[in-house]
Amino acid sequence: MPSWVKQWLGFAACVIMRILRGLAKNKTLRYGVPMMLLIIGGSFGLREFAQIRYDAHKLHSTKIKDASFDDWKNIRGPRPWEESNTLQEQQR
């Protein structure tokens, strides 16, 4: 490799290192860019999780609409001092 190529590569490496050091000291790049990525990424993530919630709610509501309540009977749950099995059998 010719000597002028080695000198040019050394100079280019020096310039690149100076630029990287300057960027590393820049507070906007160190703190602002990661913060913006978290805010924007969190927005997209939250939208996806909310969509799952609404899809699940839509599926649940269709099951309730199709249900038949003609033969439905209200059975209360047992109190802490009552035995649950005997009380429920009496109410049925």
Side-chain angles (χ1 to χ4, degrees):
M1 193 180 326
S3 64
W4 65 271
V5 173
K6 289 181 183 179
Q7 285 179 341
W8 187 82
L9 288 176
F11 176 72
C14 182
V15 169
I16 290 173
M17 289 302 294
R18 280 187 188 175
I19 291 171
L20 289 177
R21 275 193 216 120
L23 291 177
K25 291 180 181 180
N26 189 343
K27 288 189 178 188
T28 301
L29 289 178
R30 286 183 70 191
Y31 302 112
V33 172
M35 182 62 132
M36 292 304 293
L37 288 174
L38 282 173
I39 291 171
I40 294 169
S43 170
F44 285 111
L46 186 62
R47 184 182 70 193
E48 293 299 321
F49 282 114
Q51 188 63 42
I52 291 170
R53 176 183 172 215
Y54 294 132
D55 291 343
H57 181 70
K58 190 185 309 180
L59 290 174
H60 181 69
S61 64
T62 57
K63 288 179 183 179
I64 292 176
K65 287 179 184 176
D66 297 337
S68 173
F69 294 110
D70 295 334
D71 58 348
W72 181 74
K73 186 176 180 184
N74 189 13
I75 300 175
R76 75 167 178 84
R79 295 190 172 119
W81 59 85
E82 297 174 339
E83 292 183 25
S84 63
N85 294 337
T86 58
L87 183 65
Q88 287 179 358
E89 290 299 325
Q90 290 174 356
Q91 289 181 354
R92 287 182 190 175

